[in-house]
Amino acid sequence: MAFTSSIGPPFTLNLPHLHQPTRQKSFYFRCKANSNPSSKSLSPFKANNFLSTKPLLASKFNVGAQREYSAGGEDESRISDATNQEAFSWSSVILPFLFPALGGLLFGYDIGATSGATISLQSPELSGTTWFNLSAVQLGLVVSGSLYGALLGSILVYSIADFLGRKRELIIAAVLYALGALTTAYAPGLGVLLVGRLLYGLGIGLAMHGAPLYIAETCPSQIRGTLISLKELFIVLGILLGYFVGSFQINAVGGWRYMYGLSAPLALLMGIGMWSLSPSPRWLLLRAVQGKGSLQEYKEQAISALGKLRGRPPGDKLSERQIEDTLVSLKSSYTDEKSEGSFLEVFQGPNLKAFIIGGGLVLFQQITGQPSVLYYAGPILQSAGFSAAADATRVSVVIGVFKLVMTWIAVAKVDDLGRRPLLIGGVCGIALSLLLLSAYYKILGGFPLVAVAALLLYVGCYQISFGPISWLIVSEIFPLRTRGRGISLAVLTNFGSNAIVTFAFSPLKELLGAENIFLLFAAIAFSAVLFIVRTVPETKGLSLEEIESKILK
């Protein structure tokens, strides 16, 4: 998933194995790997084996992009119980995903609502204010105010993420969302409006950090990719919701107030929902190992939290054994390294490797042209003779629906195909689309359908690759002890590079011309493919502890 609050173009949000045996479908997921690591056969759990805790290599999950590991007992003993013996009901998974994902929907809603709100706000007849005649700088501050807030939020959360915990961070994000929305909606003047935009942006920064953390740490590993990618889908849904609300309120006096204010009820729902959820069991264990309280007390809380998150009865042995395995893994990590990590620990050893992978992905996500490419969406569709191009809102909705469809494809396939195939194939498609756009502006101006096809190719490929997959990997790749700080740096990298690309686009267009800008973006996209092939590992089917022990060490 990628973030942007630029709305100059109609739609500027970039949101975001080889072989796998057929899964046995049932209401509960239960699997058991063959004791021979080289074997590809699977056998379903039998009732008397369900609570077995023998460490087994998860041959159900193909991790082709990783190096092959020894079949010896030492490697098997490091595999956590969680991946191989997870059992859960979908009914217990929905709410721990839904309420954090509302943070993404509220972020997307702001993008969509701002697109219509800026039109309403500047209209002498419809703004309902005496200060509607905004300068370019003032309008830019209204549009990008939430981006500055998100940048500030991602900086602040770096040092306090592990103290707050994932649950409290998302509750605070919901409060900031609500305060920002209401302050903006009832703003008597431009200054108060900008304060509201900044508050809302702080909520974005905390939500985009806390949501992938909470979902990744609480969901079963076999559907982690699906759920985190679904959060990207919620961002697209939020954008579409913002556009639809804008289209209904665009002719109302003071319509911009309604567009911004309607996000407050959603923020309230998010806050109440997060309050009702259990804290992340992994965060509770992290606090225990860090010596922030009684180990036994934190351990009991983690067992209870995991049981509730999986819909299991109180006191079940499976949750207890999974927590024991995770605790052993975390203690080992703290034994191998300094017991209390330094402020810059994220730039050292395995943490640096994780930051290069995650930070590199979100950086390439922005500098391959998003949010700039869709600046040309309106002109391209207009040149092709599409009447809908005359209406920016309709064009935005059309592109948004296409994004929604392509994101759904990624959601459906990410846990089957894996992360790397979607990334490599999608980014290759992005590079091809950028070459076609460059050729259109240089030599193929008489064939506007080429530009339309290239635009849709870019949108589609982005939504099955950089859009959802980058943030999926970011949420998985960091070790638990630095996950909070690592993801906050990734969020900061995303918003920072987004701001640079957004603000540098206009002078670059004047200097190079559209054809050369797209050529530059294409070259960067090909570099991104090389980076993914050489650096980004496959994490499909691995528990977070397995990713840390196998890939980062």
Side-chain angles (χ1 to χ4, degrees):
M1 172 194 69
F3 311 134
T4 171
S5 56
S6 167
I7 62 153
F11 191 88
T12 55
L13 177 74
N14 48 332
L15 287 148
H17 267 257
L18 303 176
H19 171 73
Q20 182 178 359
T22 302
R23 295 179 179 175
Q24 183 178 3
K25 296 182 179 179
S26 67
F27 191 67
Y28 288 88
F29 286 91
R30 298 177 181 178
C31 61
K32 176 180 177 183
N34 188 295
S35 59
N36 180 0
S38 63
S39 171
K40 296 183 179 180
S41 64
L42 294 173
S43 60
F45 267 135
K46 299 177 182 177
N48 58 351
N49 288 335
F50 181 70
L51 294 179
S52 170
T53 58
K54 179 182 178 181
L56 296 169
L57 188 62
S59 61
K60 174 179 178 180
F61 304 110
N62 187 320
V63 285
Q66 303 172 101
R67 64 184 184 276
E68 291 186 18
Y69 297 100
S70 165
E74 179 181 353
D75 284 302
E76 290 188 3
S77 65
R78 295 185 305 179
I79 304 305
S80 71
D81 201 24
T83 298
N84 305 318
Q85 299 180 341
E86 281 277 35
F88 67 93
S89 64
W90 275 103
S91 59
S92 68
V93 170
I94 292 174
L95 293 183
F97 160 76
L98 177 62
F99 293 126
L102 285 178
L105 186 141
L106 284 162
F107 169 58
Y109 179 84
D110 183 67
I111 302 298
T114 299
S115 183
T118 53
I119 299 173
S120 173
L121 187 60
Q122 295 179 93
S123 171
E125 298 82 14
L126 300 176
S127 69
T129 69
T130 58
W131 39 275
F132 58 84
N133 190 21
L134 302 178
S135 67
V137 173
Q138 290 172 328
L139 182 62
L141 288 174
V142 172
V143 172
S144 58
S146 59
L147 173 61
Y148 297 136
L151 277 168
L152 180 59
S154 60
I155 293 172
L156 292 175
V157 81
Y158 178 82
S159 57
I160 63 174
D162 286 338
F163 168 75
L164 289 177
R166 301 22 168 163
K167 175 180 174 177
R168 280 186 291 185
E169 182 180 352
L170 288 168
I171 292 174
I172 294 172
V175 172
L176 289 169
Y177 272 142
L179 286 176
L182 294 174
T183 302
T184 304
Y186 289 99
L190 180 62
V192 177
L193 187 149
L194 293 178
V195 170
R197 300 292 292 142
L198 186 68
L199 286 172
Y200 199 96
L202 285 171
I204 292 174
L206 267 65
M208 293 303 98
H209 174 268
L213 259 177
Y214 187 87
I215 295 171
E217 290 187 355
T218 59
C219 72
S221 58
Q222 62 262 48
I223 59 169
R224 187 175 61 238
T226 297
L227 292 184
I228 296 179
S229 299
L230 268 176
K231 187 178 68 65
E232 171 76 6
L233 196 70
F234 269 61
I235 294 178
V236 183
L237 285 171
I239 290 180
L240 288 174
L241 179 61
Y243 283 135
F244 281 123
V245 171
S247 67
F248 283 116
Q249 296 292 332
I250 195 67
N251 293 320
V253 176
W256 60 273
R257 297 184 185 274
Y258 296 102
M259 296 178 201
Y260 282 130
L262 283 175
S263 59
L266 289 173
L268 179 62
L269 177 62
M270 173 187 170
I272 294 174
M274 287 306 308
W275 187 274
S276 69
L277 293 179
S278 300
S280 163
R282 285 183 169 96
W283 174 76
L284 291 170
L285 295 180
L286 176 65
R287 299 298 285 174
V289 174
Q290 288 175 336
K292 304 301 182 181
S294 167
L295 175 61
Q296 185 61 32
E297 182 178 342
Y298 272 121
K299 179 181 170 182
E300 290 175 358
Q301 291 178 22
I303 293 170
S304 174
L306 181 60
K308 291 178 181 178
L309 290 166
R310 295 294 181 271
R312 299 168 183 162
D316 76 289
K317 297 300 182 182
L318 180 57
S319 295
E320 182 177 344
R321 296 181 188 188
Q322 288 178 329
I323 291 299
E324 285 284 358
D325 286 347
T326 303
L327 186 59
V328 168
S329 174
L330 190 55
K331 283 182 176 179
S332 174
S333 173
Y334 267 71
T335 300
D336 293 342
E337 305 175 36
K338 293 181 292 183
S339 61
E340 190 67 37
S342 68
F343 185 76
L344 298 178
E345 184 187 8
V346 74
F347 299 109
Q348 301 169 1
N351 306 300
L352 177 61
K353 181 178 180 180
F355 179 67
I356 290 173
I357 294 169
L361 281 175
V362 296
L363 178 65
F364 277 117
Q365 183 187 66
Q366 295 294 322
I367 64 176
T368 49
Q370 190 86 2
S372 302
V373 169
L374 292 177
Y375 177 87
Y376 286 90
I380 288 173
L381 292 173
Q382 241 174 358
S383 68
F386 287 84
S387 59
D391 187 333
T393 303
R394 292 179 184 175
V395 172
S396 299
V397 171
V398 169
I399 296 176
V401 170
F402 183 64
K403 278 177 169 276
L404 194 68
V405 172
M406 297 308 296
T407 305
W408 181 257
I409 292 175
V411 169
K413 293 299 181 182
V414 66
D415 280 324
D416 291 328
L417 297 177
R419 286 63 160 153
R420 276 173 57 91
L422 288 174
L423 273 175
I424 294 171
V427 179
C428 284
I430 288 174
L432 176 60
S433 69
L434 290 167
L435 288 176
L436 288 174
L437 285 171
S438 176
Y440 169 72
Y441 281 98
K442 189 180 290 284
I443 59 176
L444 298 176
F447 303 93
L449 287 179
V450 171
V452 174
L455 176 65
L456 294 178
L457 178 63
Y458 184 97
V459 170
C461 289
Y462 185 89
Q463 290 309 126
I464 64 170
S465 58
F466 274 148
I469 308 302
S470 293
W471 285 99
L472 167 57
I473 291 180
V474 165
S475 69
E476 297 175 322
I477 200 67
F478 286 98
L480 178 58
R481 61 183 281 142
T482 58
R483 190 170 297 143
R485 285 171 287 165
I487 293 182
S488 68
L489 282 178
V491 173
L492 180 62
T493 301
N494 180 271
F495 281 119
S497 56
N498 173 272
I500 292 172
V501 170
T502 300
F503 297 139
F505 178 73
S506 292
L508 281 175
K509 187 181 75 168
E510 293 292 329
L511 179 65
L512 301 176
E515 64 276 11
N516 291 322
I517 283 183
F518 288 131
L519 197 60
L520 174 62
F521 286 152
I524 296 174
F526 280 118
S527 300
V529 173
L530 293 177
F531 171 80
I532 293 167
V533 170
R534 294 176 58 88
T535 309
V536 178
E538 181 55 67
T539 58
K540 179 187 71 170
L542 296 176
S543 71
L544 298 178
E545 289 72 33
E546 289 172 322
I547 292 172
E548 182 174 351
S549 65
K550 286 184 172 182
I551 294 176
L552 298 180
K553 293 185 178 180

